[in-house]
């Protein structure tokens, strides 16, 4: 296969690569800082911060797998990729994205228990239980995403081997097949709505229970403190799911939108949220902010 990058913007590929590099460096520094702090500080070995580490790992994994091939295209004009390499990249990207969605659901459950049942928090959400929930999320991601590359592997690819994208997007690869891709399209759409729809429903349920519990609190100070613990997570959810849904739906149904706009939107989903997540949590989480300040002062 041949990955073209961003069609119509070939003249600006060098400038796009510079912005990609800047985003990647900022993202890497932020997420590695979170991982290092939680690893070094014994006081941060709690479920909430272990979940932050999982989120950081998924963000690093997603962005690294996208940015490497994109920079090869933009800087070195290395556009070729084997069929096996393409399908492997596709599986890895989507599996880690589904895993990230599972982590966000667990984080919503963590906030629900912390606010609605604080006295039993340490017994309900132990580090072992968080690890088990993460394992379930990983198994779900593999089982749901594995059919995507397997279905594409059975498709015939004729003379057209050019993929107008910076990475092996499922629909972009399916469109260059000379066979019937109805099953591929349907399964991809079902996965999008089942995974994102179910996860968003669980998150919405958690926060509706949180809001109900907060409204029962008479103290305004307690109101503010309870809501502050959820602000960072809500920002991350809105940013992650909004960009993901918009990218997926425009790619499938936005026929009037230019192809380079589709590709830019898809890349922004893999670039912007992973860069901003550690910044949001660093600003909104006092304990994490204090630890960062302590190390900077040293």
């Amino acid at each position: 296969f041949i990955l073209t990058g961003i069609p119509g913007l070939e003249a600006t590929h060098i400038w796009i690569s510079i912005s990609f590099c800047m985003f990647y460096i900022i993202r890497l520094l932020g997420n590695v800082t979170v991982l290092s702090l939680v690893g070094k500080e014994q006081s941060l070995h709690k479920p909430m911060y272990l979940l932050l580490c999982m989120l950081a790992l998924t963000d690093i994994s997603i962005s690294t797998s996208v940015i490497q091939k994109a920079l090869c295209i933009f800087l070195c004009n290395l556009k070729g990729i084997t069929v096996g390499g393409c399908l492997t990249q596709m599986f890895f990207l989507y599996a880690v994205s589904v895993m990230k969605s599972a982590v966000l659901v667990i984080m919503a459950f963590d906030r629900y228990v912390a606010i609605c049942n604080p006295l039993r928090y340490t017994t309900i959400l132990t580090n072992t239980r968080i690890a088990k929930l993460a394992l379930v999320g990983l198994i779900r991601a593999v089982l749901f995403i594995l059919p995507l590359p397997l279905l594409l592997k059975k498709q015939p690819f004729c003379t057209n081997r050019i993929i107008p994208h910076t990475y092996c997007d499922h629909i972009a690869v399916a469109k260059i097949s000379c066979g019937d891709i109805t099953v591929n399209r349907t399964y991809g759409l079902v996965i999008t709505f089942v995974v994102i729809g179910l996860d968003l429903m669980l998150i919405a349920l958690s926060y509706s229970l949180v809001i109900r519990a907060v409204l029962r609190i008479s103290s305004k100070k307690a109101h503010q403190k309870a809501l502050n613990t959820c602000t960072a997570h809500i920002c991350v959810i809105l940013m992650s799911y909004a960009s993901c849904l918009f990218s997926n739906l425009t790619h499938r149904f936005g026929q009037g939108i230019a192809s380079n706009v589709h590709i830019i939107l898809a890349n922004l989903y893999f670039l912007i949220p992973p860069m901003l997540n550690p910044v949001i949590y660093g600003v909104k989480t006092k304990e994490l902010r204090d630890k960062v300040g302590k190390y900077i002062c040293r």
Side-chain angles (χ1 to χ4, degrees):
F1 294 144
I2 304 295
L3 290 163
T4 61
I6 305 177
L9 298 179
E10 287 83 1
T12 60
H13 273 184
I14 184 68
W15 299 107
I16 294 171
S17 67
I18 292 170
S19 64
F20 271 36
C21 281
M22 288 175 62
F23 285 147
Y24 183 67
I25 291 168
I26 295 169
R27 179 186 317 118
L28 204 59
L29 284 172
N31 286 300
V32 168
T33 299
V34 170
L35 291 170
S36 300
L37 280 174
V38 176
K40 288 179 180 178
E41 294 290 334
Q42 191 69 31
S43 61
L44 297 180
H45 291 182
K46 302 173 184 176
M48 178 183 174
Y49 297 104
L50 292 180
L51 288 167
L52 279 182
C53 286
M54 291 180 197
L55 187 66
L57 286 172
T58 57
D59 283 340
I60 291 171
S61 302
I62 290 171
S63 54
T64 300
S65 57
V66 171
I67 203 78
Q68 284 181 342
K69 189 57 188 176
L71 291 179
C72 286
I73 296 167
F74 296 149
L75 296 176
C76 308
N77 204 34
L78 298 174
K79 299 180 177 182
I81 186 170
T82 64
V83 175
C86 185
L87 296 179
T88 301
Q89 185 196 45
M90 181 192 303
F91 169 76
F92 186 77
L93 270 178
Y94 288 107
V96 176
S97 297
V98 173
M99 179 62 196
K100 179 180 177 179
S101 184
V103 171
L104 290 174
V105 173
I106 301 169
M107 292 175 88
F109 179 62
D110 171 79
R111 292 301 83 203
Y112 159 72
V113 176
I115 293 171
C116 298
N117 207 343
L119 297 178
R120 295 186 60 203
Y121 179 81
T122 53
T123 56
I124 294 173
L125 280 178
T126 61
N127 291 348
T128 304
R129 187 159 290 166
I130 290 293
K132 288 178 180 178
L133 289 171
L135 181 60
V136 171
L138 180 61
I139 293 169
R140 182 190 73 153
V142 171
L143 292 177
F144 277 17
I145 299 302
L146 191 58
L148 286 180
L150 293 179
L151 286 169
L152 276 176
K153 192 175 181 181
K154 295 179 180 179
Q155 286 290 333
F157 293 95
C158 306
T159 54
N160 180 24
R161 295 287 179 120
I162 298 172
I163 304 169
H165 220 299
T166 55
Y167 62 89
C168 290
D169 177 78
H170 173 245
I171 292 298
V173 176
K175 282 181 178 178
I176 67 169
S177 169
C178 50
D180 183 11
I181 60 168
T182 306
V183 175
N184 302 74
R185 280 179 172 274
T186 305
Y187 186 75
L189 197 60
V190 167
I191 288 298
T192 301
F193 281 107
V194 167
V195 172
I196 296 177
L198 178 63
D199 289 357
L200 278 175
M201 281 176 59
L202 291 171
I203 290 168
L205 176 63
S206 294
Y207 278 106
S208 64
L209 294 172
V210 166
I211 291 169
R212 189 178 70 174
V214 169
L215 291 175
R216 290 177 178 174
I217 303 171
S218 56
S219 168
K220 287 186 178 180
K221 188 176 180 180
H223 270 185
Q224 188 177 3
K225 185 179 179 182
L227 291 175
N228 276 342
T229 63
C230 304
T231 306
H233 187 229
I234 291 170
C235 290
V236 170
I237 288 168
L238 291 174
M239 193 167 50
S240 298
Y241 284 113
S243 57
C244 177
L245 278 171
F246 192 69
S247 172
N248 271 285
L249 295 178
T250 53
H251 202 66
R252 285 176 169 84
F253 305 115
Q255 303 302 325
I257 302 175
S259 62
N260 53 13
V261 176
H262 284 302
I263 296 165
I264 290 169
L265 287 172
N267 279 282
L268 287 178
Y269 164 64
F270 291 120
L271 289 170
I272 303 299
M275 180 182 70
L276 295 179
N277 288 349
V279 176
I280 292 169
Y281 276 106
V283 170
K284 297 300 295 182
T285 310
K286 186 180 183 301
E287 197 171 355
L288 197 62
R289 189 171 64 244
D290 291 344
K291 297 296 181 185
V292 173
K294 185 180 80 171
Y295 278 95
I296 290 172
C297 290
R298 282 181 182 179

